[in-house]
Amino acid sequence: MPDSDFYNTIGKPGIAEFKDRGSRFIAYAFPVNDIHEFKLRLAEIKNGHPKATHHCFAYRIGQDGNTFRVSDDGEPSGSAGRPILGQIDSKQLKNVLIIVVRYFGGTLLGVPGLINAYKTAAVMVLQIVAIIRKPVETAYRLQFDYTQLGEAMKIIKAFNCNVLKRDIQLFCHLEINIASSCLEQVLLRLGEIKGVELKRIA
């Protein structure tokens, strides 16, 4: 299968620490699927480190990798968030958030020192988390009569589609993720079932 059918991410959260001239840089890496999940993780870290001087971060979200953000959180512009994102991108990761918490140690590190510290903390945390490949998937909404449920589910299971939401009544509504490697086949097979309505979720 072509590489475009897959993307790299991390399997589980990780934590690593880097020290420089008294300052502590604690890096947290998380797999995240959307902005809501990012906000929860950031709030969690801020609550856990209320006395930290800075909570800098970077993330790249979405299977296309087009959604990203960096924050220096009070550090000199470009000295924290960008170096963190640089490490996420160097490993071509998506759906990944790294937050680096800094406790100031009394000695100013200067912009080059800060860039090195935030970059190193990000490197360290990415060295201890498992990098995994996941299939690129497209979300679709299905609507059909209950009598078609068995036929539709047979195809969904045969192609290992992930069911995101289900509302099974006399009229059924499903939201599923279909791997790009078998997208055409699944849509063709589902489209052959009389009365099934298919709509791509943006």
Side-chain angles (χ1 to χ4, degrees), residues 17-194:
E17 185 173 334
F18 174 70
K19 292 178 182 175
D20 188 4
R21 285 166 276 180
S23 281
R24 294 170 62 211
F25 297 84
I26 308 165
Y28 294 86
F30 298 103
V32 289
N33 293 307
D34 51 47
I35 306 299
H36 175 68
E37 213 173 329
F38 148 69
K39 288 178 179 175
L40 289 176
R41 291 300 195 181
L42 183 61
E44 187 182 293
I45 295 301
K46 284 186 172 181
N47 288 338
H49 294 275
K51 294 182 179 177
T53 328
H54 306 279
H55 305 85
C56 305
F57 66 80
Y59 64 67
R60 193 171 284 284
I61 295 174
Q63 296 172 13
D64 55 10
N66 287 341
T67 304
F68 68 94
R69 187 177 157 198
V70 297
S71 169
D72 298 314
D73 192 34
E75 294 281 31
S77 179
S79 66
R82 282 280 165 195
I84 297 169
L85 183 65
Q87 294 314 301
I88 294 173
D89 290 347
S90 74
K91 294 191 178 292
Q92 297 179 318
L93 300 175
K94 291 162 187 170
N95 288 355
V96 170
L97 161 69
I98 296 178
I99 303 168
V100 181
V101 175
R102 182 190 183 189
Y103 286 91
F104 183 56
T107 303
L108 292 172
L109 303 182
V111 171
L114 289 171
I115 290 171
N116 178 66
Y118 283 102
K119 175 186 172 182
T120 304
V123 167
M124 289 170 69
V125 77
L126 288 177
Q127 282 174 342
I128 62 165
V129 292
I131 292 173
I132 58 173
R133 287 180 93 209
K134 280 192 167 184
V136 171
E137 296 175 323
T138 307
Y140 273 83
R141 187 175 288 115
L142 278 70
Q143 295 185 98
F144 49 85
D145 189 85
Y146 183 76
T147 54
Q148 269 93 35
L149 179 62
E151 213 176 339
M153 288 308 295
K154 190 176 177 182
I155 295 166
I156 289 165
K157 286 177 181 173
F159 289 94
N160 293 315
C161 302
N162 291 318
V163 178
L164 307 173
K165 290 181 184 175
R166 64 176 81 207
D167 181 14
I168 310 295
Q169 297 181 35
L170 285 176
F171 205 66
C172 303
H173 299 263
L174 289 182
E175 286 185 15
I176 62 170
N177 266 346
I178 308 169
S180 62
S181 56
C182 59
L183 182 61
E184 283 184 34
Q185 289 170 280
V186 174
L187 295 180
L188 184 68
R189 294 278 299 276
L190 288 170
E192 287 171 350
I193 305 172
K194 192 179 175 185

